[in-house]
Amino acid sequence: MANLYDIQASLKTFLEQQTGYTCVWIYDGVKLPTTKPFLTIEDLQTQHETLDKMREVAESTYRFQVGVYASSSAQKAKLPEEIKRALTFNQIPLLDTSQSGFPAVGFFVADVERITPIPNDDITSQTNNHRVYLDVTVEVTLYK
């Protein structure tokens, strides 16, 4: 059964394989790379909904923010589109992080909801130049 940790690890691995760039898992205290381009992935809220009165089917919607830290304005325009296409038109292998070697145990799909460019509000921080975020959702249906 898919869970938040496995889905996030799967998205991180998939993005690294598709783009060839490092993808950093965002957590409290993480240090971002100084060499661009790189990607980030952060889990946001998860929504859970019961779909029938007998409580036999439920759905979880996992939301993620994929950050693109580009090295130029041109790359800032191109890389999010590349990521959107990869997420939209591919099944993503679901990795089981509880097993050695993280084997793929299935597949899932992801949807890109929006792409938002973020201006750098601190000109002393070169890391925040040429930044874009993609809002990504993964829906998982649960059966009793």
Side-chain angles (χ1 to χ4, degrees):
M1 177 166 73
N3 60 55
L4 173 64
Y5 191 84
D6 288 349
I7 293 169
Q8 190 165 355
S10 300
L11 281 169
K12 178 186 179 301
T13 301
F14 178 79
L15 290 169
E16 287 177 332
Q17 291 171 346
Q18 290 292 306
T19 65
Y21 301 127
T22 299
C23 185
V24 178
W25 195 312
I26 297 296
Y27 56 88
D28 292 341
V30 69
K31 300 274 189 237
L32 296 179
T34 56
T35 304
K36 291 180 170 185
F38 66 89
L39 309 175
T40 61
I41 186 164
E42 181 177 13
D43 63 298
L44 302 175
Q45 73 182 42
T46 299
Q47 180 179 334
H48 184 75
E49 182 178 1
T50 304
L51 300 178
D52 70 340
K53 291 181 183 182
M54 300 297 291
R55 302 184 63 82
E56 294 184 5
V57 181
E59 183 175 78
S60 291
T61 302
Y62 298 97
R63 290 183 174 78
F64 301 93
Q65 187 174 68
V66 174
V68 176
Y69 290 73
S71 58
S72 68
S73 201
Q75 194 174 54
K76 174 185 166 185
K78 293 176 184 177
L79 193 50
E81 289 297 321
E82 180 184 328
I83 292 168
K84 179 182 75 172
R85 290 186 63 78
L87 291 172
T88 300
F89 296 115
N90 287 290
Q91 289 186 326
I92 299 164
L94 176 63
L95 306 179
D96 184 348
T97 59
S98 68
Q99 295 185 43
S100 177
F102 306 145
V105 293
F107 294 92
F108 64 92
V109 295
D111 294 312
V112 176
E113 305 256 324
R114 63 192 122 300
I115 300 173
T116 308
I118 305 293
N120 186 355
D121 58 357
D122 178 8
I123 60 171
T124 63
S125 172
Q126 295 297 313
T127 301
N128 289 330
N129 286 343
H130 313 300
R131 197 168 35 134
V132 176
Y133 289 104
L134 292 86
D135 294 334
V136 176
T137 59
V138 174
E139 291 185 357
V140 176
T141 304
L142 308 168
Y143 299 95
K144 190 172 185 181

